[in-house]
Amino acid sequence: MLSKVSSRSFSSSALARASAPIKITSAPLAVSPAVSSLKVIVNGAGSKSGPAGLAHLTSTFSFLDTQSKSALRLKRESEFLGGAYKSYVTRDAIVLDATFLKEDLPYFVTALGSVLTESTYKPHELSEIVLPAVKATYNAAVSSASFIALEELHALSFRKGLGSPLYFDGTKSYSVEDISAFAKSAFTADAVEIVSSNVTESDLQSFIADSAFSSLPASGLASSAKPATFVGAESRIRSAGPTAAAIGLPIEDASTYALLSAYLTSEIESTLSTQISTSIKTYKDASLFYFVAESSSSAEVAAAIKKAAAALKSAKGLAKFAKLAQFQTGLTGGKDTVSVSKFNYVAVGDIDALPFADEL
Amino acid sequence: MFSKRFLSTSVAKAKITQLANGLTVATKSVPSSTSTIGLYSAAGSRAENPYNSGVSTLLGSVLAKSAYSSSLASGVIVSSSNSKETTGVTFSFANGALSDALSVFEKTLSTKAVESTFSDAELIKSEAEKAASFSESLEEKPIERVLEHLTSTAFQSTSLALPTYGKAETVGTLEPMDLTSFFGKYFINSNLALVGTGDVDHEKLIEFASKLTFASGVKPVTKPAKFLGSEVRLRDDTLPSAYVAIAAKGESVLSPNYYVAKVAAKVNGSYSTASPFYKLQGGKLADLVSEYHLADTFSHFSTSYSDTGLWGFVTKSSNIDNLDDLIHFTLKDWGRLSTSISEAEIERAKSALKVELLGTEVTPLEASDKLASDALVSGFEASAAEIVSRIDKVTTSDVTKWAQATLYDQDIAVSGTGQIEALFDYNRIRNDMSMMRW
């Protein structure tokens, strides 16, 4: 049938092997022993890097035509072998994720390596496959008022970089040359990290050495400095549909804010009509604490956000919630009190019913 | 260090023990930073009747709510879960905090605690209102709606016909008495499983279980459900698309053809135009559907209950004028399972099924619901090796034989909502279950 040996035939040249070794880590086995998974995380290729939306387009180009294999052939071969793959974008990285039967490791190492090194970025793929798919992702995401609120909270807190939109929103227009150039600069050996699950590590090492991964160029994007952060901003977005409000701020002391979010979880419960979500978004170079409430009733959102803002200004007795914080975030420790005078605030939906930042 | 330990011990097989008093204890190691324990009864919506529909959902949510707020600070999240055949109250916690969870368990589910919770008429009333609006909110989701009504019409006037989360008009009116009598009848040792997933020691859980004092009695019997070819149409032209589900009688959990039916459902699998790869899929039906844009999504399923099942598909199409083509070509493709399905298609389906069943990451909470249903309904949970070997054994002729007996010229249940003007009448659709020529 499909040869697993021949699929490794386009191995790297001796020259390429000289490049930096790829970082490999193993994750706990989250699935059954018959199945393996590989996550290829390309750090610095996420939506915080490059112009807004470009990373999302680049990510969606993954697993399409490469120099050695068409997207159709890859899809049909993977279906036979029993493999599923996807690519998604985070603020920090593009993540290629493949799950497959244990014996097909070499095939998928090769496939993942090809995505990074020899994708062809054809114009017809951009218009026929990538743009409709990113549009579907974007539309599904922005149907949630909470998502819009959190995106805006990122924009207020970081402005650029982490503040860029996660997905391609159609405000800009990119050519395949732009995408190809971004991929070329971002897909480098020191940016790539492979997380494997249920894989024999020595096998993986040797398959990677024999695959296109080893021809990735060595120098990557310059390591990013700590991003500038901003507090005290407010944004109000009038829109139809459910109403959401979010408060949050860039933070350093994650443990204390884990306690605060545990405290808010117990103080302000989700109800059937109002969904509360509070946690910490942890990125490579910054963290963001957030509290967001969403409901079809704008009055309920207003009440929840006022309560949360009051708690943020002076929260005491947080140590009590250490166990809940550990359950939610895995973090321990932290201070017993929090007092924040300046934070960022976003209102989305029926904003007439929501307070202004200085009324909180 | 954390990861190495899990890798070296590999994924443990579920351990299931039945105590002398009839109570089942089941544990399974799931790699995660959190764990879950839960008490499950083998009584979900199937144990209800039209007059107390929703009582199992309400019972779970009342018990969970009674302890939710007070146990948050101890890092234990109390929640409830429901299916047609199980009701559970679960306690999730960070690994290592088992003793906290066990103490919340006792505070929530001891005889005394349950009695006092069930005497709190106010709590029950407010939870009943919530349950009623939750049930209504499910009816607002078109895919959930057609699937619930599909089951309902396929097994009409049997225990499977009642909606999983209850009928809104009934559950809103339930009273403390309803809960007490349901609890007394179905929360008895022989009908209960204490389940632990994540990092929970089996022996410790057995020790804890042996101290529990639920009533004893004979395990209640559920009357078998009978499939009836029928249809239900909830036409609603205000919805943006047409939503249709069609199914024939499928396989039960313990059926020897359980995996044959699962493989057959994977032959055409699922399809969604939101995926960048939807035009590249290998299935013959997916090819047709994308070529002529007959549907936005479809998904084939083989759903199994303790005594019966449903085999079919659910679809959403914004191309409402060509809905008849979509249904015709789908059912015609089901016909190929009985006549001319190729070996390659079956091999592809088997691979897809393996990766789906074994490659999906689950949280301890999700694993808990599944383990409980396996322990209570079939008495065991198949290990990964068993699943692989049973799927490997399925041959093309097994699928053909199964399809000839189960699908070919068999009655179907049809359920539709949205803009289903072009959904043909029952007999036209039923005729597509056989062919004048192959």
Side-chain angles (χ1 to χ4, degrees):
Chain A
M1 224 179 63
L2 300 163
S3 164
K4 282 163 208 164
V5 182
S6 71
S7 62
R8 287 167 48 199
S9 59
F10 52 98
S11 74
S12 54
S13 67
L15 182 121
R17 276 176 210 227
S19 69
I22 307 250
K23 193 179 162 203
I24 301 173
T25 50
S26 61
L29 178 52
V31 293
S32 108
V35 173
S36 303
S37 77
L38 287 179
K39 264 198 181 104
V40 177
I41 302 166
V42 189
N43 291 311
S47 51
K48 72 177 180 190
S49 317
L54 192 52
H56 186 209
L57 289 173
T58 309
S59 159
T60 313
F61 252 108
S62 307
F63 305 109
L64 296 183
D65 287 1
T66 63
Q67 280 158 25
S68 54
K69 206 174 267 188
S70 70
L72 180 69
R73 183 170 160 200
L74 177 68
K75 178 76 186 157
R76 298 289 172 93
E77 286 180 354
S78 317
E79 281 180 347
F80 268 105
L81 295 174
Y85 50 75
K86 63 179 180 220
S87 170
Y88 55 91
V89 67
T90 67
R91 287 184 196 275
D92 280 328
I94 285 176
V95 183
L96 311 177
D97 188 342
T99 305
F100 45 87
L101 299 178
K102 201 172 159 75
E103 62 267 25
D104 300 326
L105 177 64
Y107 179 87
F108 283 94
V109 169
T110 304
L112 290 164
S114 296
V115 169
L116 298 186
T117 53
E118 48 167 13
S119 285
T120 46
Y121 306 106
K122 292 175 179 151
H124 78 271
E125 290 181 329
L126 177 62
S127 55
E128 291 172 18
I129 299 176
V130 174
L131 284 173
V134 296
K135 202 174 155 199
T137 310
Y138 174 77
N139 286 340
V142 297
S143 66
S144 151
S146 302
F147 176 83
I148 298 172
L150 280 175
E151 285 287 288
E152 190 65 13
L153 196 61
H154 279 87
L156 295 181
S157 303
F158 302 105
R159 294 193 188 167
K160 288 178 288 190
L162 288 171
S164 290
L166 180 60
Y167 297 131
F168 176 72
D169 55 14
T171 50
K172 288 192 170 132
S173 160
Y174 297 108
S175 66
V176 284
E177 286 78 24
D178 299 330
I179 294 166
S180 164
F182 176 75
K184 207 172 165 193
S185 71
F187 294 173
T188 58
D190 28 17
V192 170
E193 186 186 340
I194 298 179
V195 181
S196 68
S197 174
N198 196 26
V199 163
T200 313
E201 209 145 317
S202 56
D203 289 354
L204 180 60
Q205 297 275 14
S206 79
F207 293 139
I208 284 177
D210 282 350
S211 76
F213 276 112
S214 56
S215 65
L216 282 169
S219 70
L221 299 170
S223 68
S224 49
K226 271 227 165 302
T229 58
F230 304 89
V231 285
E234 173 177 11
S235 178
R236 303 174 74 81
I237 302 167
R238 185 178 289 277
S239 69
T243 298
I247 52 175
L249 66 157
I251 55 159
E252 301 278 339
D253 180 6
S255 296
T256 301
Y257 282 90
L259 289 178
L260 179 64
S261 104
Y263 167 73
L264 289 175
T265 308
S266 68
E267 280 299 293
I268 309 168
E269 279 178 30
S270 285
T271 62
L272 198 66
S273 53
T274 307
Q275 285 77 48
I276 305 288
S277 158
T278 169
S279 187
I280 299 163
K281 298 247 183 206
T282 310
Y283 301 107
K284 289 258 170 206
D285 37 21
S287 296
L288 178 76
F289 163 82
Y290 70 90
F291 172 95
V292 56
E294 177 177 343
S295 174
S296 49
S297 150
S298 45
E300 284 180 31
V301 174
I305 205 73
K306 277 180 192 157
K307 235 173 142 180
L312 201 59
K313 280 176 183 158
S314 75
K316 293 190 192 75
L318 296 181
K320 253 195 334 194
F321 297 93
K323 284 181 171 175
L324 183 57
Q326 199 198 342
F327 174 81
Q328 289 175 328
T329 60
L331 294 169
T332 51
K335 292 201 230 45
D336 191 52
T337 56
V338 163
S339 165
V340 178
S341 52
K342 278 175 106 179
F343 46 76
N344 296 317
Y345 170 62
V346 182
V348 179
D350 175 15
I351 54 173
D352 298 338
L354 296 180
F356 287 86
D358 51 21
E359 294 166 0
L360 284 170
Chain B
M1 26 63 13
F2 176 75
S3 60
K4 287 254 169 62
R5 188 161 59 91
F6 280 114
L7 283 170
S8 58
T9 50
S10 87
V11 164
K13 201 172 147 40
K15 288 184 197 160
I16 300 180
T17 310
Q18 193 160 31
L19 304 186
N21 64 11
L23 183 76
T24 304
V25 179
T27 58
K28 188 180 180 186
S29 139
V30 176
S32 167
S33 58
T34 65
S35 298
T36 298
I37 57 168
L39 180 76
Y40 291 81
S41 165
S45 63
R46 286 193 82 170
E48 297 166 359
N49 60 52
Y51 309 102
N52 70 359
S53 172
V55 66
S56 63
T57 305
L58 181 60
L59 184 137
S61 61
V62 164
L63 288 174
K65 181 73 184 174
S66 73
Y68 178 82
S69 305
S70 59
S71 51
L72 268 182
S74 59
V76 180
I77 309 287
V78 190
S79 59
S80 61
S81 80
N82 261 88
S83 72
K84 296 259 180 215
E85 302 189 315
T86 58
T87 295
V89 181
T90 56
F91 306 83
S92 299
F93 51 95
N95 285 351
L98 179 63
S99 55
D100 289 326
L102 292 178
S103 94
V104 174
F105 184 107
E106 271 178 338
K107 274 184 217 151
T108 315
L109 293 170
S110 71
T111 317
K112 233 183 176 173
V114 171
E115 260 173 31
S116 102
T117 303
F118 287 172
S119 64
D120 187 345
E122 208 150 298
L123 171 72
I124 292 172
K125 195 165 172 237
S126 82
E127 287 300 306
E129 276 167 18
K130 271 195 218 165
S133 50
F134 179 68
S135 168
E136 265 167 14
S137 75
L138 287 180
E139 280 284 293
E140 302 290 315
K141 297 180 185 159
I143 296 281
E144 276 81 354
R145 185 182 197 187
V146 287
L147 284 173
E148 192 65 71
H149 283 276
L150 178 78
T151 318
S152 210
T153 190
F155 299 108
Q156 54 189 273
S157 52
T158 75
S159 56
L160 270 173
L162 290 168
T164 312
Y165 298 99
K167 292 189 292 180
E169 64 267 31
T170 320
V171 69
T173 63
L174 293 175
E175 288 183 6
M177 256 300 284
D178 298 302
L179 296 187
T180 311
S181 77
F182 191 87
F183 189 87
K185 192 166 170 199
Y186 295 105
F187 278 67
I188 55 176
N189 284 324
S190 56
N191 209 38
L192 287 176
L194 180 63
V195 173
T197 46
D199 184 18
V200 179
D201 183 49
H202 191 69
E203 301 307 320
K204 243 188 209 164
L205 209 57
I206 290 185
E207 192 192 312
F208 177 74
S210 59
K211 285 183 275 178
L212 295 175
T213 53
F214 293 105
S216 284
V218 185
K219 192 177 166 86
V221 193
T222 315
K223 267 195 219 146
K226 202 170 165 340
F227 180 91
L228 185 71
S230 55
E231 66 168 357
V232 54
R233 286 164 193 257
L234 305 139
R235 182 171 165 183
D236 182 352
D237 287 351
T238 64
L239 291 176
S241 299
Y243 306 83
V244 180
I246 300 178
K249 181 178 176 292
E251 299 300 323
S252 70
V253 172
L254 292 173
S255 155
N257 284 326
Y258 178 83
Y259 286 101
V260 178
K262 286 261 186 216
V263 169
K266 278 280 168 230
V267 167
N268 281 316
S270 53
Y271 169 94
S272 165
T273 52
S275 159
F277 313 117
Y278 79 95
K279 283 182 180 160
L280 311 174
Q281 271 174 257
K284 199 173 172 198
L285 181 61
D287 208 35
L288 262 178
V289 169
S290 76
E291 184 67 32
Y292 300 103
H293 180 226
L294 295 180
D296 303 329
T297 67
F298 69 68
S299 171
H300 284 78
F301 54 80
S302 172
T303 306
S304 299
Y305 302 105
S306 57
D307 54 345
T308 186
L310 283 175
W311 190 98
F313 92 131
V314 59
T315 183
K316 167 187 177 234
S317 175
S318 53
N319 184 1
I320 51 166
D321 296 332
N322 291 101
L323 193 61
D324 49 345
D325 286 344
L326 171 66
I327 304 297
H328 171 72
F329 285 110
T330 302
L331 268 53
K332 212 172 143 85
D333 213 84
W334 294 2
R336 289 198 312 120
L337 292 169
S338 311
T339 57
S340 56
I341 199 76
S342 70
E343 201 153 317
E345 285 174 286
I346 297 298
E347 286 307 315
R348 187 178 60 212
K350 284 158 72 173
S351 295
L353 181 61
K354 279 185 213 166
V355 170
E356 187 195 85
L357 291 184
L358 304 171
T360 314
E361 286 187 34
V362 289
T363 63
L365 184 58
E366 290 158 346
S368 171
D369 287 349
K370 174 161 185 307
L371 179 57
S373 131
D374 283 338
L376 287 167
V377 177
S378 49
F380 69 97
E381 187 176 69
S383 71
E386 283 162 347
I387 293 174
V388 169
S389 99
R390 288 194 62 185
I391 295 174
D392 279 340
K393 277 189 195 127
V394 176
T395 63
T396 310
S397 82
D398 289 341
V399 174
T400 308
K401 264 186 228 152
W402 171 83
Q404 283 170 355
T406 317
L407 297 181
Y408 194 82
D409 205 13
Q410 294 299 308
D411 274 349
I412 46 171
V414 180
S415 156
T417 191
Q419 303 192 47
I420 47 170
E421 192 179 19
L423 183 66
F424 279 158
D425 76 63
Y426 182 82
N427 284 311
R428 284 282 297 270
I429 301 175
R430 170 69 178 78
N431 285 345
D432 274 332
M433 291 300 282
S434 60
M435 290 176 271
M436 296 297 277
R437 62 184 174 86
W438 290 358

